[in-house]
Amino acid sequence: MIGLEGELEVQDLQIGYNIRNKEFRAGPISFTLAEGELAMLIGPNGVGKSTLLKTLIRLNEPIEGQVFFQGRPLRQIPKAEMSKYIAFVSTETSYPFYISVYELVSLGRIPYLNWMGRLSSEDRRIVERAIEQMQLEHLRNKPIQEVSDGERQKALIARALAQDTPVILLDEPTAFLDIVNKHNIIHLLGDIAHQQKKTVLLTTHDLNIAISETDKLLVMLPNQFLVGAPEDLQLKNQLNSLFKNQFHFDPISGTLKRVKSFLYKASLKSESTVPRSVAKLTQKALERIGYELTDNSTRINVIVKKVNQDYQWTVELADGNTFICSSLYALCRLLGEYKR
Amino acid sequence: MVTQSEKVVNSKRSLIFVALLLLVLLFFFIDIVIGNAEVPVGDLIRSIISPSEYSTASMIFYNFRLPKALAAVITGVALGISGLLTQTYFRNPLAGPDVLGISSGASLGVAFVLLVISQFLPSLGSSPVGNWTIIVAACVGAAATMLMITLVSGIIRDHVTMLVFGLMVGAAFSSAIIVIQYLSNETLLKSFVVWGFGSIRHLGLNHLAIMSPFIALGTLLSFFSVKNLNALLIGEKYAQTMGINLARARVLIFISIILLAGTITAFCGPIAFVAITVPHLSRMLLRTNDHFVLIVASLLTGSLMMLLSDILSHLPGSNISLPINALTSLMGIPLIIAIILRKKI
């Protein structure tokens, strides 16, 4: 058995809190995170992903169950010592004082400093390395309030890197980021896990990124906790349970589709000169506006033809009318009208 | 490259500190020279060496000039550091012991001792025990207010709303003090009114001797909080995950603030806008958030602001002197307004 020896091992963990009459409970949860592994935790809003992370970093105490760090029960590790093992990046974004990126990152060294909080040259070297790793050199002296959302997230990750811990937990590091920044952050975190042999666990809502990038997928549901390589979960067809049957997960394309209730039927034929991809796109467009495709002839028949270099969509209606559309947009407009 | 820029920053920092220190010494000297009675500078200096020969100058030096200059420095140090600590503790750049009502809480404690308890123990106000009682009462009043503000700051997240709340608390306490004043007899009232003006001029060396240990302890404790304060900059949760014992850190900072703000209020009454202004001046000058640097800068800048206010309060060419509170407010308020307008909060 390889890779089951965990950096972080969670056993039958019951999590939750009871603040101001708001009670919340989740679990039991069991999983193991290995060294050098990028893991992602997904699940619907309010299922307890953040609470789980906070329990792992001991901002919340567990109700039951155990967490082990390198085989040691986490509960028995003093918090000051634990801050050298596990770093946390939270969603909290309030910075009342103008603090530079460098200052923010250097705060990651706090677990190693004496009460006077002076940085040694070794500390500064580690801070510099973290800044370089997150590609923040040019922003060193910029106030954290004046950088973009993506840059701020990188600075927060750099702070966690400066903390120099074998485990890093991140609560929604890609929230509020555009698609380029999202991928950028995830790749940097992947590099950190794989090259520096750190254990990285993050929560995310982005299933597509999770499936294509993570080594281990943790799926948290109200009464279920699934763990495995994303492909393992696809193999067992377990991902569909995530979406309460409102969405359908297509295991081949690896993408999500909303499960639609089709109200209308149409048939689609294409001439032999038309490539399959064009027929596919036509199907996608028709499904998008609520048409279910059947092979039988219906009240609406769509035929795709190739005319010169372009394509043409002929619509034959049951009332005998025929329309010719020169784009899928025109086809959708026409059939959208016809629905009414 | 890094060490090079690091050296530049450090030498720049040292330069600013030396400049501040020289300015403090200069203003200290000017503050001693300037006063209501006209005494030649030479006489003042000579009186230090031979007090018997220049007995009038010596009397003025030891009874008026030296105490007020020392008082300005001590209050400046205490208010500057307590302001810095309050702002980081509440994570609110508009906080200060005065604007959050903490000083008013201390005043209420003092009023309670001077106006209520003194009715039953008439000799308390003038006895040596009285001074200690006043400090304790001020610190208790400050601590109670600060506890309340701490609880409320968990609910009110907005900086400016928190400021409004603090001002209302302050106003409520001031009103309570007025009510107590109306119910007090005239002799007690007189001693309290003098105290309540926010003045440093009535302080003698004996008062300063009593204050100093408290201020020194508060200052020392603040240096022990440097790492905790730095960690709190990015929030309590982060601080905890970096191994900071939050409860211990908060109590330590809390005690520092209470000692500094309470003692000053106990002896000088509420002095406005020094505590809120000084930390901002320090951050602007030193361009850092490292609390070790900021505490040193704040105690120097605080001394400067108080010394300058005291110097300016003696109108040149007349023997009228303005209340120091008016000058500290006139200096501090424009800066605070500028900070609010620039949204640097």
Side-chain angles (χ1 to χ4, degrees), chain A residues 23-35:
Chain A
E23 212 187 320
F24 172 79
R25 264 172 182 258
I29 296 161
S30 298
F31 64 90
T32 305
L33 298 180
E35 188 190 88

Side-chain angles (χ1 to χ4, degrees), chain A residues 187-221:
Chain A
H187 280 149
L188 284 165
L189 288 170
D191 287 348
I192 289 163
H194 302 140
Q195 287 164 17
Q196 299 179 47
K197 294 279 165 237
K198 286 182 191 286
T199 305
V200 179
L201 171 63
L202 59 93
T203 62
T204 180
H205 280 290
D206 203 318
L207 182 67
N208 289 339
I209 285 190
I211 281 164
S212 53
E213 303 291 342
T214 190
D215 299 319
K216 186 176 268 170
L217 191 61
L218 313 176
V219 182
M220 194 168 179
L221 296 167

Side-chain angles (χ1 to χ4, degrees), chain A residues 20-21 34 40 42 66 106 113 136 139 147 171 221 226 247 304-305:
Chain A
R20 287 188 201 132
N21 300 325
M40 298 192 196
I42 58 171
Q66 280 275 36
S106 64
L113 305 179
L136 293 165
L139 299 170
V147 301
D171 198 5
L221 296 167
L226 310 168
F247 290 87
V304 194
K305 292 175 185 163

Side-chain angles (χ1 to χ4, degrees), chain A residues 148-167:
Chain A
S148 72
D149 287 343
E151 290 163 345
R152 185 175 313 120
Q153 198 54 252
K154 280 190 193 174
L156 288 169
I157 295 170
R159 188 209 61 81
L161 283 178
Q163 205 171 329
D164 201 18
T165 54
V167 179

Side-chain angles (χ1 to χ4, degrees), chain A residues 93-303:
Chain A
T93 52
S94 121
Y95 306 98
F97 300 100
Y98 267 44
I99 173 170
S100 73
V101 168
Y102 183 88
E103 282 181 312
L104 179 80
V105 178
S106 64
L107 289 177
R109 297 305 297 162
I110 280 179
Y112 303 90
L113 305 179
N114 66 9
W115 57 273
M116 284 294 277
R118 304 298 83 205
L119 292 175
S120 70
S121 53
E122 169 72 3
D123 290 321
R124 290 185 192 284
R125 209 178 50 75
I126 293 168
V127 170
E128 279 308 321
R129 203 179 54 199
I131 286 176
E132 271 166 42
Q133 268 169 29
M134 296 314 287
Q135 302 151 7
L136 293 165
E137 293 97 327
H138 58 296
L139 299 170
R140 200 185 311 246
N141 297 318
K142 248 197 160 184
I144 196 71
Q145 290 87 344
E146 288 175 8
V147 301
S148 72
D149 287 343
E151 290 163 345
R152 185 175 313 120
Q153 198 54 252
K154 280 190 193 174
L156 288 169
I157 295 170
R159 188 209 61 81
L161 283 178
Q163 205 171 329
D164 201 18
T165 54
V167 179
I168 301 177
L169 308 177
L170 306 96
D171 198 5
E172 298 211 30
T174 58
F176 315 115
L177 299 187
D178 61 44
I179 193 86
V180 176
N181 272 311
K182 258 182 200 172
H183 279 276
N184 195 346
I185 296 269
I186 295 291
H187 280 149
L188 284 165
L189 288 170
D191 287 348
I192 289 163
H194 302 140
Q195 287 164 17
Q196 299 179 47
K197 294 279 165 237
K198 286 182 191 286
T199 305
V200 179
L201 171 63
L202 59 93
T203 62
T204 180
H205 280 290
D206 203 318
L207 182 67
N208 289 339
I209 285 190
I211 281 164
S212 53
E213 303 291 342
T214 190
D215 299 319
K216 186 176 268 170
L217 191 61
L218 313 176
V219 182
M220 194 168 179
L221 296 167
N223 300 308
Q224 230 182 338
F225 197 87
L226 310 168
V227 188
E231 296 78 11
D232 281 331
L233 300 184
Q234 289 174 46
L235 208 66
K236 295 178 197 154
N237 215 6
Q238 283 174 321
L239 288 179
N240 285 330
S241 52
L242 248 178
F243 312 104
K244 297 180 190 142
N245 298 324
Q246 286 169 2
F247 290 87
H248 171 72
F249 186 77
D250 184 356
I252 295 160
S253 65
T255 54
L256 273 184
K257 277 182 186 164
R258 193 148 63 95
V259 175
K260 282 187 180 171
S261 43
F262 293 111
L263 295 173
Y264 312 97
K265 286 186 194 310
S267 76
L268 177 66
K269 293 191 186 88
S270 46
E271 290 187 339
S272 55
T273 50
V274 175
R276 235 186 94 76
S277 63
V278 177
K280 265 272 177 229
L281 279 175
T282 309
Q283 181 185 346
K284 217 174 152 187
L286 290 175
E287 280 176 358
R288 174 164 57 81
I289 60 168
Y291 281 87
E292 187 183 15
L293 297 184
T294 58
D295 290 333
N296 315 331
S297 159
T298 57
R299 288 171 64 225
I300 304 168
N301 300 306
V302 180
I303 302 133

